[in-house]
Amino acid sequence: MRSEEPLLNYDELAEKNKRYVWHPFTQMKEYIEGDPVIIAGGDGRKLQDVRGNEYWDGVSSIWLNVHGHRVPEIDQAIRGQLEKIAHSTMLGMANVPAVLLAEKLIHLMPPGLAKVFYSDAGATAVEIAIKMAFQYWQHKGQPQKQRFITMKEAYHGDTIGAVSVGAIDIYRHTYSNLLFSPIHVPYPYIYRSPITGDDETQTAFFLDELEKTLQAHHHETAALIIEPVVQGASGIIVMPDGYLRGVRELCTKYNVLMIADEVATGFGRTGRLFACNHEEVTPDILTAGKGLTGGYLPVAITVATDEIYEAFLGDYEDQKTFFHGHSYTGNQLGCAAAIANLDLMEEKNLIHEVQQQSRYIASRLQEFSKLSHVGDIRQKGFMIGLELVVDRETKEPYEWTERVGVQVCTRAKELGMLIRPLGNVVVFMPPLASTKEELEAMLDILYQSIQEVTES
Ligand SMILES: *Cc1c(COP(=O)(O)O)cnc(C)c1O
């Protein structure tokens, strides 16, 4: 799709991009030889580049976007806030939207979560959770509880603490001497499980593995961190029913804090407001980010129970203060965008819509099992991962050097949709407000891309 006229001089911008910019998660040597997409605008569920091409935003600008781009209500909320003030510090003072957003969030959170600590990225929200959990035990007179339990292949962000509790080897091994060492437990990745059996059997097996670890290490463990219901960056891996509930029960039993990292899953992405809602779980600490501002501005939150918050209370001389903060903590523009995003979600009954459209996506995904290289189809709400394999019988993976996921996404781009793979997993995460017609168009491109790349 092309409009008549280029909006800006592409060649000039591409040259400057090459000369001045270092991109995230990108091998620049290869990237600068390519033909980069330079986004100039967006509207609804579409993005436009400076050459006038239009694309579906098939991964919600990396899992953020909720209502679409240039949403009048959110735009207006930011403009309205700009008329008042853009930013002032939260160190020792408050601001209007940060207070009102915190109130709103606490009413929406799983019951028991009570205090909102602001930051500006998922990774910082996780850093804060790690430090809070660590310090909590010092205040409780159990300073030996210093370690963390994490799931194999977990992803929690890219700062040193967040990478420490992460478990994806390629993001970790280069920095291993800088990192602290958590205790790893196997994640219930059913498609490649070491045991056979139904979901109930799998749940019991993996909870048993966790319990063995807790028995051995609970006395030295501050917290367990988990991506609830869907492990995202490892390949959109959906856990079996009952597992999250079981994790909560085991953490309680062994006196280990539970941190639920809802940075990817929060704010409707899985078909409930929070993934923890699927199993009526309240973690001790919940982190969220990505969808909070509708994909507009960088605001993240670490939400704690009163039990944790109160452990930090004391006289100044007690030195129980939580010494952590960022320059832009509680940014007014971001908080105003978040309030507008949440109001709009409510007004549009968006969670209900997501549930409806998820059923449509599920029905369309059945067709994908006709494709001979689609090994596993995973979906929870608007989080979809299609694992491509060389051989469906043996589940033999593609060599990573073949970059089959990248090839599929390159084809999708030519067909008018921007998506980004995770290794051999093709990820589809459309904005939550996508209509049935829009989803249909996106799924058509997804199907055609996979078919052409894997069956040619
Ligand atoms: C994306 C993500 C993060 C990191 O968030 P950033 O905003 O990119 O720092 C942390 N945890 C999970 C589960 C994520 O998906």
Side-chain angles (χ1 to χ4, degrees):
M1 283 174 274
R2 235 165 188 297
S3 62
E4 319 77 65
E5 257 189 278
L7 306 169
L8 285 162
N9 187 328
Y10 176 77
D11 291 338
E12 203 178 298
L13 283 165
E15 176 56 30
K16 289 178 181 173
N17 180 45
K18 198 187 277 195
R19 188 173 301 195
Y20 299 116
V21 187
W22 191 345
H23 288 257
F25 279 99
T26 301
Q27 177 40 260
M28 293 305 291
K29 178 171 180 283
E30 182 181 83
Y31 175 81
I32 59 174
E33 283 159 12
D35 195 20
V37 169
I38 303 176
I39 297 298
D43 193 14
R45 270 62 73 182
K46 284 191 165 176
L47 296 165
Q48 291 117 24
D49 71 11
V50 295
R51 287 182 283 194
N53 298 306
E54 282 200 343
Y55 311 92
W56 295 110
D57 189 358
V59 283
S60 299
S61 296
I62 308 295
W63 318 2
L64 312 173
N65 197 274
V66 175
H67 302 282
H69 299 278
R70 287 178 53 217
V71 181
E73 292 86 346
I74 305 178
D75 292 0
Q76 194 42 50
I78 296 170
R79 282 197 199 97
Q81 181 59 43
L82 259 182
E83 304 277 310
K84 299 176 186 123
I85 185 172
H87 182 76
S88 62
T89 185
M90 288 274 282
L91 268 63
M93 54 182 121
N95 74 63
V96 177
V99 170
L100 298 179
L101 175 59
E103 177 194 30
K104 195 175 249 316
L105 286 167
I106 293 305
H107 287 114
L108 295 171
M109 286 282 151
L113 290 165
K115 295 290 188 288
V116 177
F117 195 101
Y118 288 110
S119 63
D120 45 29
T124 53
V126 169
E127 293 291 331
I128 290 162
I130 291 169
K131 288 173 72 177
M132 256 179 202
F134 187 88
Q135 192 172 342
Y136 167 81
W137 290 111
Q138 297 181 21
H139 297 332
K140 296 300 269 189
Q142 296 205 56
Q144 79 287 357
K145 285 170 85 71
Q146 299 197 349
R147 297 193 71 190
F148 289 82
I149 294 177
T150 192
M151 299 283 139
K152 284 194 177 137
E153 303 298 315
Y155 177 78
H156 297 290
D158 299 328
T159 53
I160 294 298
V163 173
S164 291
V165 294
I168 298 178
D169 192 54
I170 60 162
Y171 305 155
R172 225 189 121 88
H173 74 262
T174 312
Y175 314 105
S176 56
N177 290 341
L178 282 177
L179 308 174
F180 63 80
S181 301
I183 301 153
H184 293 103
V185 294
Y187 178 87
Y189 180 10
I190 304 306
Y191 181 60
R192 296 187 186 278
S193 174
I195 63 154
T196 53
D198 60 11
D199 277 11
E200 214 172 305
T201 313
Q202 300 280 355
T203 297
F205 171 79
F206 285 98
L207 286 174
D208 195 46
E209 292 289 302
L210 173 60
E211 182 150 22
K212 284 184 211 147
T213 302
L214 282 165
Q215 272 163 357
H217 294 286
H218 69 92
H219 59 282
E220 56 168 347
T221 301
L224 170 148
I225 183 164
I226 187 166
E227 294 161 82
V229 181
V230 185
Q231 199 176 49
S234 61
I236 317 296
I237 305 174
V238 183
M239 57 179 62
D241 289 349
Y243 182 73
L244 189 70
R245 176 88 244 156
V247 169
R248 172 67 273 185
E249 284 162 7
L250 287 172
C251 286
T252 305
K253 179 172 170 191
Y254 288 94
N255 205 19
V256 161
L257 298 177
M258 178 184 182
I259 302 169
D261 179 1
E262 294 245 18
V263 172
T265 52
F267 302 105
R269 188 45 71 183
T270 67
R272 298 294 299 269
L273 193 56
F274 295 99
C276 284
N277 298 140
H278 287 286
E279 303 226 323
E280 283 162 33
V281 159
T282 297
D284 300 285
I285 302 176
L286 183 148
T287 57
K290 293 195 168 111
L292 169 57
T293 62
Y296 265 65
L297 286 162
V299 179
I301 50 171
T302 306
V303 189
T305 58
D306 272 329
E307 164 61 26
I308 292 180
Y309 172 78
E310 283 164 10
F312 287 73
L313 301 180
D315 292 329
Y316 182 72
E317 299 72 30
D318 297 342
Q319 298 202 339
K320 288 185 168 179
T321 307
F322 185 50
F323 288 110
H324 191 107
H326 298 279
S327 305
Y328 285 97
T329 293
N331 174 261
Q332 281 99 320
L333 293 178
C335 290
I339 291 170
N341 172 47
L342 296 173
D343 283 347
L344 199 55
M345 284 180 81
E346 210 171 309
E347 207 174 291
K348 305 228 149 155
N349 206 357
L350 192 67
I351 302 290
H352 178 75
E353 286 300 310
V354 166
Q355 291 168 358
Q356 296 287 106
Q357 303 302 355
S358 296
R359 280 193 272 277
Y360 169 68
I361 295 173
S363 71
R364 287 291 310 270
L365 286 174
Q366 286 174 7
E367 296 160 28
F368 285 67
S369 60
K370 284 189 222 137
L371 297 169
S372 51
H373 295 279
V374 173
D376 194 22
I377 299 173
R378 302 188 279 264
Q379 181 199 9
K380 194 78 183 178
F382 271 42
M383 287 182 100
I384 294 102
L386 302 162
E387 183 167 335
L388 305 180
V389 291
V390 174
D391 184 323
R392 209 146 54 175
E393 287 306 305
T394 64
K395 304 184 182 176
E396 182 193 339
Y398 283 96
E399 282 299 324
W400 66 276
T401 46
E402 279 188 61
R403 301 211 283 179
V404 66
V406 173
Q407 290 184 52
V408 169
C409 295
T410 302
R411 184 65 188 129
K413 178 178 132 186
E414 290 162 4
L415 295 170
M417 177 164 73
L418 296 176
I419 49 176
R420 203 177 150 93
L422 291 162
N424 295 334
V425 178
V426 176
V427 178
F428 179 53
M429 287 225 214
L432 300 188
S434 306
T435 65
K436 185 166 174 236
E437 290 68 33
E438 291 171 337
L439 291 167
E440 187 175 10
M442 291 188 239
L443 285 158
D444 285 346
I445 294 175
L446 194 67
Y447 188 91
Q448 189 183 341
S449 309
I450 295 173
Q451 184 176 44
E452 287 181 10
V453 168
T454 60
E455 295 185 0
S456 63

